[in-house]
Amino acid sequence: GSDMVYLFRGSLWLYIGKVVTMGGAFITSIAFADLLSAEVYGMYKYVLSFVGILAITTLSGLGGVITQSVAKGSEGTIYPAIWTRIRWGLIGCAASCGVAVYYFAKGNEQLGWAFIVAAPFIPFMESLTLFQSYLQGKRLIGSFSALLALNHVIATTIIIGALILSSHLAVILIAYYASWTILRALAFYGILKKYPPNINIDHEAISYGKHTSFIDAISSVVGSLDQLLIFHYIGATELAIYTFALAPISQISGLFRGIPILAIPKLAGRSIASIQDKLMVRVGMLFAIGLAVSLLFIELAPFLYQLLFPKYISSIPFALVLSLTLILSFPQSILASVLGAKLSETPKKLLYLWNLPSVASTAYILSTIRDQGIASVVGGRLLSTVLIFVVSWIIWGVIKSNEQQLAHSA
């Protein structure tokens, strides 16, 4: 039931881009491991995680709404969306300055300057990613992948250059935030000039996007909370160990992260019944692939860490356990595509179910981290992965049921 020409072309571009971005991430991780102490790297990840929480004010939920609106012909929605994100992002900017004042008052100038550096970029860096949503909605996967790959190459080069020149936290953060913000601004301007939006605006999209953003906020906080808790309760060095355990798993799971990019614009116009016909087969296939990749990683990880990251051998046990998340994260990619394509058909109250995995994971970590350390956070991530999969099926079941009721009433 797939459009194989669209799938092949889109997949080819996405995986070319993915090879480039994974290569950049791999080279960057080696540079961080070799050129930066575990303590400074831990503080760097702490700041990125904290700023990631502050950036929820930029209303990330508008990204998915823009993809759906553009796919349905309301391309002009991107203009009110970008200004809405930037205005709301000013709250995050002010909050980052407040955090900086706190650390200066505590005598920690290194973290104080780190949050001062990050503050002016918060309203813009994530907001400007709307060009990606716009390209996805227009099914311009080649342009999407090429820009992402080019941006990763340039940003990676700048960050590694900063690492070679300085080990000062503020310098590395300036290189990171400035490079990504400027590159995304240039891409946003260039894309809208090359592919001008029409004048159609979906006035309901912004309101719905705000609603989904508020729902996403808790998940976003919890997504970064594990690293904040490690830094607070255990220390910067342990955060570096956990980061190097999680990094390869995140990159591997990213191999199938392109599925929603390809699928959402196509599925948005298909009926729920036609989607259901193929869904179980697709989920079963990806489950089998996730299991095979997890087992392969468990076999190879000890050798690879000793070869590439000898300073982080202690990350290996945690990486092996985290690899089990791949078994569900692969099939979750197709479920995310289906739910994203039918986002506007999801009852708003039901969206709050997405908070369940986050709340349960956080509760588990808070109750066990003092005794279990990093193992507590690993267990929380496993729990969250399982619950996300379960919630996805529950929401899809409700959407199907509502569709059937409408069909009977008609």
Side-chain angles (χ1 to χ4, degrees):
S2 302
D3 182 341
M4 295 309 295
V5 174
Y6 171 77
L7 185 62
F8 175 76
R9 288 177 179 171
S11 297
L12 180 62
W13 277 110
L14 283 175
Y15 281 102
I16 289 173
K18 194 63 188 176
V19 168
V20 173
T21 55
M22 287 182 68
F26 175 69
I27 293 170
T28 305
S29 65
I30 292 177
F32 273 115
D34 290 343
L35 300 174
L36 211 59
S37 69
E39 183 178 2
V40 176
Y41 182 63
M43 284 193 287
Y44 169 79
K45 294 300 294 185
Y46 168 72
V47 173
L48 293 190
S49 298
F50 205 134
V51 172
I53 291 177
L54 299 180
I56 64 176
T57 58
T58 60
L59 305 176
S60 61
L62 283 171
V65 170
I66 289 300
T67 298
Q68 191 174 36
S69 295
V70 172
K72 293 181 177 180
S74 299
E75 299 172 359
T77 312
I78 192 169
Y79 289 123
I82 184 65
W83 292 119
T84 299
R85 291 194 71 172
I86 291 173
R87 286 199 307 271
W88 279 78
L90 293 172
I91 299 173
C93 174
S96 185
C97 293
V99 174
V101 170
Y102 168 81
Y103 278 112
F104 280 128
K106 290 289 185 179
N108 192 331
E109 292 191 4
Q110 196 168 17
L111 285 177
W113 283 113
F115 284 99
I116 288 291
V117 163
F121 297 105
I122 291 175
F124 305 100
M125 181 173 161
E126 293 304 322
S127 301
L128 290 165
T129 59
L130 279 182
F131 81 87
Q132 300 173 16
S133 303
Y134 183 76
L135 288 174
Q136 291 173 37
K138 291 181 71 67
R139 304 182 191 176
L140 296 170
I141 305 302
S143 298
F144 171 87
S145 301
L147 273 173
L148 247 59
L150 179 62
N151 286 356
H152 269 276
V153 170
I154 297 173
T156 295
T157 303
I158 293 172
I159 293 168
I160 292 176
L163 283 170
I164 293 171
L165 294 173
S166 175
S167 60
H168 196 283
L169 180 61
V171 173
I172 300 168
L173 288 169
I174 289 172
Y176 175 83
Y177 286 114
S179 61
W180 276 112
T181 302
I182 293 170
L183 288 168
R184 287 171 177 173
L186 292 173
F188 187 91
Y189 174 79
I191 288 301
L192 293 192
K193 187 174 182 179
K194 186 174 181 180
Y195 306 106
N198 58 33
I199 62 172
N200 299 328
I201 297 177
D202 181 357
H203 295 285
E204 294 294 323
I206 303 301
S207 174
Y208 199 90
K210 288 179 180 179
H211 192 84
T212 57
S213 295
F214 295 145
I215 300 298
D216 289 344
I218 295 179
S219 296
S220 298
V221 169
V222 175
S224 300
L225 194 60
D226 55 357
Q227 300 187 49
L228 302 187
L229 291 174
I230 290 176
F231 184 88
H232 179 73
Y233 286 107
I234 312 175
T237 300
E238 287 72 15
L239 176 55
I241 292 170
Y242 172 72
T243 300
F244 272 91
L246 181 62
I249 308 304
S250 297
Q251 288 299 316
I252 293 171
S253 64
L255 289 171
F256 283 83
R257 209 166 288 151
I259 290 179
I261 296 171
L262 288 171
I264 289 175
K266 297 288 285 185
L267 293 174
R270 291 180 58 180
S271 69
I272 291 172
S274 66
I275 293 173
Q276 177 63 23
D277 287 342
K278 301 292 182 182
L279 183 60
M280 291 300 296
V281 175
R282 302 289 188 267
V283 169
M285 290 171 54
L286 290 174
F287 180 86
I289 293 171
L291 178 61
V293 171
S294 177
L295 294 174
L296 181 62
F297 179 84
I298 290 172
E299 184 68 26
L300 296 178
F303 167 75
L304 294 176
Y305 270 87
Q306 290 174 9
L307 177 65
L308 300 172
F309 308 118
K311 288 170 57 177
Y312 291 95
I313 297 297
S314 53
S315 298
I316 294 175
F318 305 115
L320 297 182
V321 177
L322 285 169
S323 70
L324 298 176
T325 61
L326 297 173
I327 299 171
L328 291 182
S329 64
F330 279 21
Q332 178 61 32
S333 63
I334 193 65
L335 287 173
S337 303
V338 169
L339 295 174
K342 301 301 177 184
L343 183 63
S344 60
E345 298 179 36
T346 306
K348 289 184 178 180
K349 291 182 179 180
L350 204 62
L351 292 172
Y352 287 94
L353 267 180
W354 288 117
N355 293 333
L356 176 62
S358 304
V359 171
S361 173
T362 302
Y364 175 80
I365 294 171
L366 287 173
S367 63
T368 59
I369 191 168
R370 290 180 179 83
D371 297 325
Q372 299 179 13
I374 297 175
S376 167
V377 181
V378 171
R381 188 166 284 267
L382 285 172
L383 176 62
S384 177
T385 301
V386 172
L387 291 177
I388 288 172
F389 192 71
V390 171
V391 168
S392 297
W393 279 112
I394 292 173
I395 293 177
W396 177 244
V398 172
I399 293 173
K400 284 193 303 176
S401 176
N402 289 347
E403 174 77 5
Q404 290 169 357
Q405 290 177 9
L406 286 173
H408 286 308
S409 63

